[in-house]
Every structure is written in C-alpha cells, then in structure tokens.
Amino acid sequence: MPSEVVLGEMYFPPLLLAVLISYCTTTLFSYVGNRIGLYRYIAVPAIFELSLVVIITGIISRFWYLV
C-alpha cells in the first residue's frame, strides 16, 4: 500500500480510505440483501456485516496498487 494518499491538501492513511470504501460497499450489499430477503438466512446480521467489512478491506488493501 502507498504510504499516504493526498486529496487536495489533506493527507489520509490508505487504510482509512480502504475501510471507508469497504463500509460503503457493505452498506450497499446489506441494502440489496435486505430487499431480496437474504438476511433471513443469516443468524447474526451485525457480525456478518462486520466480517464483510473486514474481508473487503483486506481485499482492497491487497490489490491497492492495481487501481
């Protein structure tokens, strides 16, 4: 991962941006999953969402240089 990301004149750690992107992706997935009825098969939705954020953050941080 790069050492820092510059947006305008502000410096951000890359992991913060990866978590922000993964949280937005998880929120979108949760909305769609709730609309189609996927969440009735999940025992604890809060833990599922948290683990999905961690998994997506790991994927984004692994392939950060490819973007």
Side-chain angles (χ1 to χ4, degrees):
M1 292 185 72
S3 60
E4 55 195 20
V5 178
V6 180
L7 294 175
E9 293 185 10
M10 296 173 31
Y11 294 98
F12 292 102
L15 189 59
L16 177 68
L17 296 177
V19 169
L20 181 66
I21 292 168
S22 66
Y23 178 73
C24 292
T25 305
T26 302
T27 303
L28 180 68
F29 179 77
S30 297
Y31 177 75
V32 171
N34 219 1
R35 297 291 281 176
I36 64 174
L38 180 68
Y39 269 44
R40 73 180 122 176
Y41 300 112
I42 298 172
V44 185
I47 294 176
F48 175 73
E49 289 179 8
L50 180 63
S51 62
L52 196 60
V53 167
V54 170
I55 290 169
I56 294 173
T57 301
I59 291 170
I60 289 173
S61 65
R62 175 81 174 145
F63 297 109
W64 187 265
Y65 282 125
L66 296 178
V67 175

